[in-house]
Amino acid sequence: MVAKQESERLMPAAEQDISDELELKAKKYLRGDGANLEVLRDKKLKGQLTVREKLYGQSAKAAAKAEKWLLPSEEGYLEAEGLEKTWHIKQESIIREVDVISSRKPFDMILPELGPYTLEYTLSGRYMLVGGRKGHLAMMDMISMDLIKEFQVRETVRDVVFLQNEQFFAVAQKKYPYIYNRHGTEIHCLKEHGPPLKLQFLNKHFLLVSVNKFGHLHYQDVSTGEMIANYRTGLGRTAVMKANPFNAVIGLGHSGGKVTMWKPTSSKPLVTMLCHRGPVTAIAFHGGGHLMATAGMDCKIKLWDIRKFEVLHTYSRHAQTLDFSQKGLLAMANGSKLQIWRDSYGNQDYGPYMSHAMVKGYQVGKIAFRPYEDVLGIGHSMGISSILIPGSGEPNFDTWVANPYETTKQRREKEVHALLDKLQPETIMLDPSKIGTVKPPRRKEKPTKKETESEMEAAIEAAKSITFKKKTKGRSKPSKRTRKKQDEVFKAKRPFLEQQMEERHAKKQRTTEAELPKSLQRFARQRA
């Protein structure tokens, strides 16, 4: 009986804890703060907005419940005991402790004749595409570890990238980018791009982006074949390019230490940032879109807040390649050594989390985290490797976004839906939250001098063409009619002359203020 009473006393407390947890999770899904409806006087509008706010709250609670009960998996990190450090733990120790399936994911593929290698994963993380500098291309199924296709193009390969799914991929070869299907058949040769150095694919917009050795940036729609844009960057040759997954803006790193950000509807960069005192060697964007990591030849790695374009932290490290994982881990590589950093306290202050050393002499060319898996892929001078990084991948995948186990029918339906939902190039901007909002009123542009003169001449001609009624008793003399016409012409010219006087006065005031010291300019404004 006592135990029953205690359980009844404890049950409400447990339910209260669950409800508190759900409220915290629901805040993540709410669309901002609710509107203040008390100030509205329109009863109809107030009722409609009340119903809408209620629906928003219900949807947020439903999403919070789904996250709690249907997404039970959580990421796990390495935890050290006592004075032990996580970056001292070796891969052999991790492999001994994980399950059998995870222990098969690390591997070393030694291909010394055809390297160095670059690699790329699909959005679901199931397929991996590798390309050797001397023309070797291969696609693998990372779940079954089967080789799907392997062939030799007998030409220099600089970069590889998957298109909308694993059925097609693009390869940056010596003279042009080529598009192949999964069977190794050449589909297209994109001669308009020129000799490419780097490739990126914007999956929401179906745009293939390339930068060639002349510093030209190309955007091409792979669904229609149309060349959307072709811009000259004007900052020389660059082989550093990365797409921001949040807003699809392309970031380029240049030899002068600058980072530029581009969109297909602007011939000039949206942002030009001087990030380093030497050439930029690598760029990486966080999945949230507001954090950027850059590395330069000045032996600095910098973390930037893109919303304010300011440096958050600077670290004395050298890196040839960078990459962010789905959960925010930052991987960097230089020579044969890799380091993985983690934001342990949530304040964008990254610190060492893991480290890994390749065989002495191996030169790491590219690193990429495998989506939805705790795996880091490494392309180096002697082949391809893969290591385990606990806590790097998202533990719960959404089948509507990326399904590693999708069937052929699901893949076809998803491709059709993606084409129907394809975003236009105009939607690429630094702040995509502005899409759907009301455009602010445009400030009236100042007319040019020629336009002002033409308007004044038109007003004078209209004043001269006015006909006056004939009046008796000497009031229609030619001298009086001429005087009336002159008055009308003066009235037409008067607003233009007043505007010119105001502009001259403002210009004179600006010049006098500029001549004065800053400490005295405020007195000059008061006197005026």
Side-chain angles (χ1 to χ4, degrees):
M1 188 67 179
V2 176
K4 187 176 181 182
Q5 289 177 354
E6 288 181 358
S7 64
E8 287 177 356
R9 199 183 307 122
L10 291 172
M11 278 296 289
E15 291 177 0
Q16 184 66 30
D17 292 342
I18 292 173
S19 64
D20 292 342
E21 186 180 354
L22 288 176
E23 284 181 7
L24 287 173
K25 289 181 180 292
K27 286 182 181 178
K28 185 170 65 174
Y29 296 101
L30 282 172
R31 305 182 182 187
D33 296 330
N36 185 13
L37 305 179
E38 298 298 328
V39 297
L40 294 178
R41 295 182 180 179
D42 190 342
K43 292 184 178 180
K44 184 179 179 181
L45 178 61
K46 188 175 181 180
Q48 290 175 349
L49 292 178
T50 303
V51 173
R52 189 166 294 180
E53 290 291 336
K54 188 177 179 181
L55 289 174
Y56 287 160
Q58 289 176 355
S59 63
K61 287 180 181 178
K65 287 180 180 179
E67 181 184 352
K68 179 171 178 57
W69 304 115
L70 301 180
L71 302 177
S73 299
E74 295 182 359
E75 68 274 13
Y77 294 100
L78 285 179
E79 293 184 3
E81 295 181 353
L83 299 176
E84 189 181 16
K85 304 296 182 183
T86 54
W87 56 86
H88 292 158
I89 300 175
K90 303 294 184 183
Q91 283 292 309
E92 294 78 7
S93 305
I94 298 174
I95 293 171
R96 282 198 301 268
E97 300 298 330
V98 297
D99 57 279
V100 177
I101 296 175
S102 299
S103 64
R104 295 174 182 170
K105 293 172 184 175
F107 62 85
D108 287 302
M109 194 180 298
I110 308 302
L111 302 165
E113 292 85 9
L114 303 173
Y117 276 84
T118 183
L119 56 93
E120 182 76 13
Y121 291 104
T122 54
L123 289 176
S124 63
R126 174 158 189 172
Y127 298 94
M128 181 178 70
L129 178 66
V130 298
R133 181 59 63 90
K134 296 178 182 177
H136 178 220
L137 295 173
M139 186 192 296
M140 292 179 61
D141 186 338
M142 300 307 294
I143 293 179
S144 61
M145 296 303 290
D146 292 334
L147 181 65
I148 296 173
K149 185 64 182 178
E150 181 183 18
F151 60 102
Q152 173 67 249
V153 296
R154 298 187 179 183
E155 199 175 36
T156 302
V157 171
R158 298 190 180 97
D159 200 11
V160 292
V161 66
F162 277 108
L163 299 186
Q164 66 270 21
N165 52 35
E166 74 279 0
Q167 298 295 311
F168 300 97
F169 58 91
V171 181
Q173 294 181 207
K174 184 177 181 180
K175 291 185 177 180
Y176 312 109
Y178 288 82
I179 294 178
Y180 298 92
N181 65 6
R182 65 178 293 165
H183 304 296
T185 307
E186 181 185 321
I187 307 296
H188 295 290
C189 174
L190 310 176
K191 293 187 177 181
E192 295 180 8
H193 290 249
L197 296 179
K198 285 290 179 181
L199 297 175
Q200 289 285 302
F201 183 71
L202 309 178
N203 59 310
K204 295 286 192 304
H205 308 78
F206 279 77
L207 291 179
L208 178 65
V209 189
S210 72
V211 60
N212 61 22
K213 67 180 184 180
F214 304 114
H216 289 189
L217 187 66
H218 295 78
Y219 288 84
Q220 186 161 10
D221 191 330
V222 298
S223 62
T224 61
E226 179 186 0
M227 181 64 75
I228 303 297
N230 174 14
Y231 301 129
R232 179 178 171 271
T233 60
L235 293 171
R237 176 182 175 129
T238 177
V240 180
M241 180 169 69
K242 197 75 172 180
N244 189 335
F246 176 69
N247 52 19
V249 170
I250 294 293
L252 294 178
H254 302 278
S255 57
K258 293 181 179 179
V259 170
T260 55
M261 298 183 188
W262 298 79
K263 68 176 183 177
T265 54
S266 175
S267 59
K268 294 183 179 180
L270 300 174
V271 181
T272 302
M273 304 167 60
L274 182 60
C275 297
H276 295 275
R277 295 182 179 179
V280 179
T281 57
I283 299 177
F285 291 96
H286 192 277
H290 303 311
L291 190 65
M292 178 180 72
T294 61
M297 292 292 287
D298 56 353
C299 293
K300 301 287 184 185
I301 294 176
K302 297 184 179 182
L303 292 178
W304 299 82
D305 187 345
I306 307 179
R307 293 169 293 186
K308 297 183 286 185
F309 302 106
E310 65 178 21
V311 182
L312 296 175
H313 300 283
T314 303
Y315 308 96
S316 296
R317 293 282 190 282
H318 186 61
Q320 291 293 337
T321 177
L322 298 169
D323 193 32
F324 275 105
S325 74
Q326 289 179 316
K327 301 305 290 184
L329 299 184
L330 176 61
M332 59 193 75
N334 180 39
S336 60
K337 294 184 178 180
L338 293 91
Q339 282 193 336
I340 294 87
W341 287 6
R342 179 189 171 196
D343 180 16
S344 302
Y345 302 104
N347 58 353
Q348 278 82 41
D349 187 8
Y350 279 72
Y353 172 59
M354 288 185 66
S355 63
H356 180 71
M358 305 294 295
V359 177
K360 192 174 181 180
Y362 287 13
Q363 297 297 313
V364 177
K366 183 176 180 181
I367 53 178
F369 282 100
R370 182 179 166 190
Y372 304 103
E373 295 287 349
D374 292 344
V375 172
L376 177 66
I378 306 165
H380 49 82
S381 58
M382 300 295 284
I384 304 154
S385 299
S386 178
I387 60 174
L388 290 177
I389 308 295
S392 63
E394 174 64 43
N396 304 291
F397 62 86
D398 187 352
T399 56
W400 295 103
V401 177
N403 185 8
Y405 306 99
E406 68 182 359
T407 61
T408 304
K409 185 178 179 181
Q410 289 174 334
R411 176 179 51 78
R412 290 172 181 169
E413 288 182 358
K414 183 179 177 183
E415 190 169 1
V416 171
H417 281 291
L419 283 168
L420 292 174
D421 299 336
K422 183 179 78 169
L423 298 178
Q424 295 301 312
E426 291 77 15
T427 60
I428 299 176
M429 58 184 68
L430 282 173
D431 186 8
S433 62
K434 290 182 179 178
I435 298 173
T437 58
V438 179
K439 191 175 182 180
R442 202 173 173 185
R443 186 180 292 178
K444 193 174 181 181
E445 293 182 358
K446 185 179 176 182
T448 60
K449 190 176 180 180
K450 282 187 177 181
E451 290 175 351
T452 307
E453 290 176 355
S454 62
E455 286 179 8
M456 188 168 69
E457 289 175 2
I460 292 170
E461 291 296 327
K464 285 181 179 179
S465 62
I466 295 174
T467 56
F468 300 98
K469 291 182 180 180
K470 290 186 178 182
K471 296 182 179 180
T472 57
K473 297 182 181 179
R475 287 187 291 178
S476 293
K477 290 181 180 180
S479 59
K480 286 190 175 183
R481 293 171 67 86
T482 305
R483 196 180 305 138
K484 284 182 181 179
K485 279 192 176 182
Q486 288 177 353
D487 291 341
E488 292 295 330
V489 170
F490 180 73
K491 284 180 184 178
K493 290 170 65 176
R494 185 170 183 174
F496 297 99
L497 295 174
E498 287 178 352
Q499 186 179 358
Q500 288 179 4
M501 290 293 291
E502 288 177 1
E503 289 177 357
R504 286 176 188 170
H505 181 68
K507 188 176 180 182
K508 187 177 179 181
Q509 188 178 359
R510 283 198 300 270
T511 54
T512 54
E513 286 181 5
E515 291 171 0
L516 290 172
K518 285 186 178 180
S519 58
L520 299 177
Q521 286 179 11
R522 55 197 181 103
F523 300 109
R525 280 198 293 272
Q526 285 178 1
R527 189 170 58 251

